[in-house]
Tab-separated table of all heavy atoms in Angstrom:
chain	number	residue	atom	x	y	z
W	87	ILE	N	-12.397	9.201	-10.570
W	87	ILE	CA	-10.928	9.351	-10.454
W	87	ILE	C	-10.257	8.942	-11.741
W	87	ILE	O	-9.302	9.560	-12.201
W	87	ILE	CB	-10.400	8.563	-9.251
W	87	ILE	CG1	-10.826	9.188	-7.920
W	87	ILE	CG2	-8.871	8.453	-9.304
W	87	ILE	CD1	-10.397	8.414	-6.703
W	88	GLY	N	-10.756	7.874	-12.345
W	88	GLY	CA	-10.180	7.405	-13.597
W	88	GLY	C	-10.360	8.351	-14.762
W	88	GLY	O	-9.704	8.219	-15.804
W	89	MET	N	-11.247	9.340	-14.595
W	89	MET	CA	-11.499	10.322	-15.678
W	89	MET	C	-10.854	11.660	-15.393
W	89	MET	O	-10.973	12.590	-16.197
W	89	MET	CB	-12.999	10.528	-15.847
W	89	MET	CG	-13.762	9.256	-16.169
W	89	MET	SD	-15.568	9.553	-16.208
W	89	MET	CE	-16.187	7.872	-16.321
W	90	LEU	N	-10.163	11.813	-14.262
W	90	LEU	CA	-9.629	13.132	-13.875
W	90	LEU	C	-8.528	13.620	-14.820
W	90	LEU	O	-7.646	12.843	-15.183
W	90	LEU	CB	-9.035	13.054	-12.492
W	90	LEU	CG	-9.977	13.250	-11.275
W	90	LEU	CD1	-9.189	13.157	-9.985
W	90	LEU	CD2	-10.691	14.585	-11.358
W	91	PRO	N	-8.539	14.896	-15.155
W	91	PRO	CA	-7.379	15.492	-15.829
W	91	PRO	C	-6.236	15.654	-14.810
W	91	PRO	O	-6.477	15.788	-13.612
W	91	PRO	CB	-7.881	16.869	-16.295
W	91	PRO	CG	-9.029	17.169	-15.396
W	91	PRO	CD	-9.653	15.841	-15.029
W	92	THR	N	-5.013	15.635	-15.285
W	92	THR	CA	-3.843	15.722	-14.389
W	92	THR	C	-3.421	17.160	-14.183
W	92	THR	O	-4.002	18.098	-14.775
W	92	THR	CB	-2.682	14.926	-14.989
W	92	THR	OG1	-2.294	15.486	-16.226
W	92	THR	CG2	-3.089	13.456	-15.184
W	93	TYR	N	-2.369	17.336	-13.399
W	93	TYR	CA	-1.835	18.677	-13.082
W	93	TYR	C	-1.385	19.388	-14.355
W	93	TYR	O	-1.567	20.603	-14.470
W	93	TYR	CB	-0.665	18.539	-12.100
W	93	TYR	CG	-0.240	19.855	-11.486
W	93	TYR	CD1	-0.690	20.209	-10.219
W	93	TYR	CD2	0.629	20.736	-12.131
W	93	TYR	CE1	-0.297	21.417	-9.631
W	93	TYR	CE2	1.011	21.912	-11.555
W	93	TYR	CZ	0.556	22.254	-10.309
W	93	TYR	OH	0.951	23.445	-9.727
W	94	ALA	N	-0.839	18.660	-15.288
W	94	ALA	CA	-0.379	19.256	-16.556
W	94	ALA	C	-1.523	19.868	-17.340
W	94	ALA	O	-1.312	20.783	-18.126
W	94	ALA	CB	0.356	18.207	-17.389
W	95	SER	N	-2.736	19.369	-17.152
W	95	SER	CA	-3.883	19.858	-17.913
W	95	SER	C	-4.608	21.018	-17.247
W	95	SER	O	-4.954	22.006	-17.899
W	95	SER	CB	-4.877	18.718	-18.152
W	95	SER	OG	-4.284	17.665	-18.853
W	96	ILE	N	-4.831	20.928	-15.938
W	96	ILE	CA	-5.643	21.935	-15.272
W	96	ILE	C	-4.971	22.557	-14.038
W	96	ILE	O	-5.577	23.295	-13.283
W	96	ILE	CB	-7.034	21.393	-14.864
W	96	ILE	CG1	-6.852	20.183	-13.887
W	96	ILE	CG2	-7.816	20.946	-16.106
W	96	ILE	CD1	-8.186	19.692	-13.326
W	97	GLY	N	-3.691	22.206	-13.835
W	97	GLY	CA	-2.957	22.844	-12.762
W	97	GLY	C	-3.410	22.394	-11.363
W	97	GLY	O	-3.784	21.235	-11.167
W	98	PRO	N	-3.402	23.306	-10.387
W	98	PRO	CA	-3.693	22.932	-8.990
W	98	PRO	C	-5.078	22.352	-8.771
W	98	PRO	O	-5.337	21.699	-7.749
W	98	PRO	CB	-3.558	24.269	-8.243
W	98	PRO	CG	-2.691	25.097	-9.106
W	98	PRO	CD	-2.994	24.706	-10.510
W	99	ALA	N	-5.990	22.563	-9.730
W	99	ALA	CA	-7.341	21.994	-9.551
W	99	ALA	C	-7.271	20.460	-9.610
W	99	ALA	O	-8.139	19.806	-9.040
W	99	ALA	CB	-8.257	22.504	-10.682
W	100	ALA	N	-6.273	19.879	-10.265
W	100	ALA	CA	-6.208	18.432	-10.380
W	100	ALA	C	-6.034	17.748	-9.022
W	100	ALA	O	-6.827	16.840	-8.677
W	100	ALA	CB	-5.061	18.029	-11.321
W	101	PRO	N	-5.049	18.114	-8.206
W	101	PRO	CA	-4.932	17.473	-6.897
W	101	PRO	C	-6.130	17.772	-5.971
W	101	PRO	O	-6.497	16.976	-5.116
W	101	PRO	CB	-3.637	18.010	-6.309
W	101	PRO	CG	-3.327	19.258	-7.071
W	101	PRO	CD	-3.903	19.016	-8.446
W	102	VAL	N	-6.740	18.961	-6.149
W	102	VAL	CA	-7.930	19.294	-5.330
W	102	VAL	C	-9.078	18.333	-5.641
W	102	VAL	O	-9.738	17.804	-4.750
W	102	VAL	CB	-8.344	20.741	-5.563
W	102	VAL	CG1	-9.684	21.040	-4.869
W	102	VAL	CG2	-7.259	21.709	-5.036
W	103	LEU	N	-9.302	18.153	-6.929
W	103	LEU	CA	-10.384	17.233	-7.360
W	103	LEU	C	-10.089	15.803	-6.913
W	103	LEU	O	-10.980	15.069	-6.472
W	103	LEU	CB	-10.586	17.272	-8.856
W	103	LEU	CG	-11.182	18.575	-9.407
W	103	LEU	CD1	-11.164	18.577	-10.937
W	103	LEU	CD2	-12.609	18.760	-8.892
W	104	LEU	N	-8.816	15.420	-7.022
W	104	LEU	CA	-8.427	14.083	-6.589
W	104	LEU	C	-8.701	13.920	-5.095
W	104	LEU	O	-9.218	12.880	-4.651
W	104	LEU	CB	-6.942	13.830	-6.899
W	104	LEU	CG	-6.366	12.493	-6.442
W	104	LEU	CD1	-7.065	11.342	-7.171
W	104	LEU	CD2	-4.862	12.450	-6.701
W	105	LEU	N	-8.351	14.929	-4.322
W	105	LEU	CA	-8.595	14.862	-2.886
W	105	LEU	C	-10.087	14.769	-2.578
W	105	LEU	O	-10.490	13.963	-1.724
W	105	LEU	CB	-8.014	16.103	-2.221
W	105	LEU	CG	-8.263	16.261	-0.731
W	105	LEU	CD1	-7.657	15.110	0.052
W	105	LEU	CD2	-7.709	17.594	-0.209
W	106	LEU	N	-10.910	15.522	-3.257
W	106	LEU	CA	-12.345	15.501	-2.996
W	106	LEU	C	-12.932	14.126	-3.297
W	106	LEU	O	-13.741	13.577	-2.547
W	106	LEU	CB	-13.044	16.569	-3.842
W	106	LEU	CG	-12.795	18.024	-3.413
W	106	LEU	CD1	-13.454	19.003	-4.404
W	106	LEU	CD2	-13.308	18.270	-2.036
W	107	LEU	N	-12.506	13.523	-4.423
W	107	LEU	CA	-13.034	12.203	-4.758
W	107	LEU	C	-12.515	11.148	-3.805
W	107	LEU	O	-13.208	10.183	-3.471
W	107	LEU	CB	-12.644	11.852	-6.211
W	107	LEU	CG	-13.392	12.641	-7.286
W	107	LEU	CD1	-12.827	12.329	-8.677
W	107	LEU	CD2	-14.894	12.341	-7.235
W	108	ARG	N	-11.265	11.311	-3.360
W	108	ARG	CA	-10.735	10.385	-2.363
W	108	ARG	C	-11.493	10.490	-1.055
W	108	ARG	O	-11.754	9.471	-0.395
W	108	ARG	CB	-9.248	10.692	-2.160
W	108	ARG	CG	-8.546	9.722	-1.225
W	108	ARG	CD	-8.514	8.333	-1.750
W	108	ARG	NE	-7.969	7.384	-0.776
W	108	ARG	CZ	-8.061	6.078	-0.853
W	108	ARG	NH1	-8.679	5.526	-1.863
W	108	ARG	NH2	-7.535	5.318	0.095
Side-chain angles (χ1 to χ4, degrees):
I87 289 178
M89 302 174 190
L90 275 181
T92 63
Y93 193 97
S95 300
I96 60 173
V102 171
L103 290 173
L104 178 64
L105 175 62
L106 290 175
L107 289 174
R108 183 64 187 166

